[in-house]
Amino acid sequence: MRVDIEQSHFDIYKKLAGDINNAAARFRIKAHKISPRAYEKLIFSTSISVEKKKKGLARHLHEALVKTFSVDPRKIKSKKELLGGFKNNLMVLRAMVDKLRSINHYLEESFLREIGVTKKTPLPSLKPKKPQKILTKGYLGKKDLESLEHVAYSLIEKVIFLDKKLLEGYKRGEGRIIKEKAVETRHIGDVLKKESEILMHLEAKLPPPAKVKPALLKNQVMHHWVARIFALLSGFENEYKKESMIFSKLKKNEEIRKKINRKIKHILKEKEKLLRVKEQRALSMKTLKIDNEWRLMFYQFNAAARL
């Protein structure tokens, strides 16, 4: 089966494999744990723009994932100490992924509406007739999933400590590098949705610290786990690269550039002010009515509050 891989995605996972191998060669069990303080400042910061915060988180996510998973458990004497490092690091990694998902939620549901890139779609119903349909809707197509699986396979080939015997369990497919098309600004919503879905899958691969058991450190389990985590990271970074290019185009518009560069605390203050105005109007009425305008304001305020 032939699998199409975008040139940018190929370049990203090739560089990622190099970063992993370099980190594995330098690995020291005493330096495995990452300090939460180094990341909490960025995670909870509201004194920067959404764009800058996401850029910083994406960079830190790459560094933290590489440091956490570039390890060969066969060469570690103290599995207990290694398990402690994983538990510590997963707590930080999950916080970063959660914040990135929150930023994407704001960009998809609020910001793109504001700048007129996406149409004003109706808000989700308070009581959807088929809630399972909302939960199962996916934005990664068959080609996207095949590409991620092929990258996982390719990383097993390229990463020095991954067990090559695992390749027997993969369906070998021929990878064909293709030149990706230029992504237009109107496609930014699709790019963000793909990012969000990849982040959702990545979060599922990062269990809560309490769920981290010694069984995860078994060679076969560990190596499958690591390959798929890094494949998802490469997929996210490929989509994020497209997003960055689109935002560069959008910033050529002076009005949009100002909105992109607004600090998070100013966004939240603006949303809170609009919500209060609507609330005061409602209180002056004889009967309280929660209309779509109110719901939209609350929805956008809540999205901004999670930034």
Side-chain angles (χ1 to χ4, degrees):
M1 178 183 68
R2 176 173 286 184
V3 179
D4 290 340
I5 306 289
E6 292 178 345
Q7 181 66 55
S8 60
H9 198 174
F10 174 80
D11 293 339
I12 286 169
Y13 84 72
K14 188 177 178 181
K15 180 182 181 302
L16 176 59
D19 292 344
I20 297 166
N21 287 334
N22 289 335
R26 299 193 307 268
F27 181 83
R28 298 292 181 274
I29 189 68
K30 292 183 178 179
H32 186 221
K33 287 185 178 181
I34 55 180
S35 171
R37 292 181 182 179
Y39 304 99
E40 285 175 350
K41 185 177 180 181
L42 179 60
I43 289 172
F44 298 109
S45 175
T46 59
S47 61
I48 57 176
S49 69
V50 177
E51 185 191 27
K52 286 184 178 179
K53 185 166 185 174
K54 185 172 182 179
K55 183 178 181 180
L57 284 168
R59 184 181 71 253
H60 284 316
L61 181 67
H62 178 104
E63 293 170 354
L65 281 172
V66 168
K67 183 172 184 178
T68 299
F69 293 101
S70 298
V71 50
D72 188 345
R74 294 172 296 192
K75 296 182 179 180
I76 305 300
K77 293 180 180 179
S78 176
K79 295 293 176 68
K80 185 177 180 180
E81 195 171 356
L82 181 61
L83 204 64
F86 272 120
K87 288 182 178 182
N88 171 81
N89 294 7
L90 284 167
M91 177 182 65
V92 181
L93 286 165
R94 284 175 61 84
M96 283 195 278
V97 171
D98 180 67
K99 188 58 67 174
L100 281 166
R101 288 185 67 187
S102 294
I103 288 173
N104 268 27
H105 177 72
Y106 165 76
L107 292 172
E108 292 172 42
E109 304 297 337
S110 184
F111 181 74
L112 296 185
R113 290 170 182 256
E114 289 180 30
I115 63 174
V117 172
T118 57
K119 294 179 180 179
K120 293 185 177 181
T121 54
L123 289 170
S125 173
L126 294 174
K127 294 182 180 180
K129 294 179 181 180
K130 295 182 179 180
Q132 71 278 6
K133 193 172 181 180
I134 295 175
L135 293 173
T136 57
K137 185 176 182 181
Y139 294 97
L140 292 175
K142 183 181 178 181
K143 288 184 178 179
D144 298 311
L145 296 173
E146 287 175 350
S147 176
L148 288 172
E149 186 69 9
H150 183 80
V151 169
Y153 165 85
S154 298
L155 285 170
I156 291 175
E157 283 189 315
K158 295 179 183 299
V159 173
I160 54 174
F161 63 83
L162 291 180
D163 190 353
K164 304 303 180 283
K165 292 179 182 178
L166 296 178
L167 295 174
E168 296 172 8
Y170 279 71
K171 291 182 180 179
R172 181 158 188 150
E174 180 185 350
R176 182 171 69 100
I177 310 302
I178 60 171
K179 185 177 180 181
E180 60 270 30
K181 298 177 182 177
V183 184
E184 298 179 25
T185 55
R186 61 188 174 87
H187 293 146
I188 181 65
D190 294 332
V191 171
L192 290 170
K193 286 180 172 65
K194 283 187 179 182
E195 279 183 29
S196 294
E197 190 166 342
I198 292 172
L199 288 169
M200 179 186 70
H201 286 295
L202 180 57
E203 186 176 47
K205 293 290 182 186
L206 301 172
K211 298 291 184 181
V212 178
K213 306 297 181 184
L216 274 175
L217 300 185
K218 291 181 179 179
N219 291 339
Q220 191 171 14
V221 176
M222 175 83 173
H223 292 184
H224 271 295
W225 185 30
V226 168
R228 282 181 164 80
I229 282 174
F230 284 130
L232 288 167
L233 174 62
S234 73
F236 167 73
E237 291 184 337
N238 187 45
E239 296 304 319
Y240 178 59
K241 184 178 180 179
K242 296 175 187 176
E243 177 198 333
S244 299
M245 291 173 68
I246 293 173
F247 268 86
S248 294
K249 293 178 182 177
L250 289 172
K251 283 196 287 186
K252 291 178 181 179
N253 181 302
E254 180 67 25
E255 186 179 346
I256 292 177
R257 183 167 72 248
K258 287 179 181 178
K259 289 184 178 181
I260 291 174
N261 292 334
R262 282 182 306 178
K263 293 182 178 180
I264 293 171
K265 59 184 177 182
H266 293 152
I267 294 170
L268 188 56
K269 189 175 180 180
E270 179 186 277
K271 301 297 181 186
E272 183 180 19
K273 186 178 179 180
L274 289 171
L275 190 60
R276 287 187 181 279
V277 168
K278 183 63 181 176
E279 185 180 42
Q280 290 299 319
R281 288 179 184 172
L283 291 173
S284 66
M285 297 178 181
K286 292 182 180 180
T287 58
L288 182 63
K289 182 181 179 182
I290 301 178
D291 56 19
N292 282 337
E293 187 183 354
W294 180 309
R295 286 179 59 211
L296 178 61
M297 286 182 183
F298 180 77
Y299 200 62
Q300 292 183 345
F301 171 77
N302 186 52
R306 292 167 59 191
L307 294 172

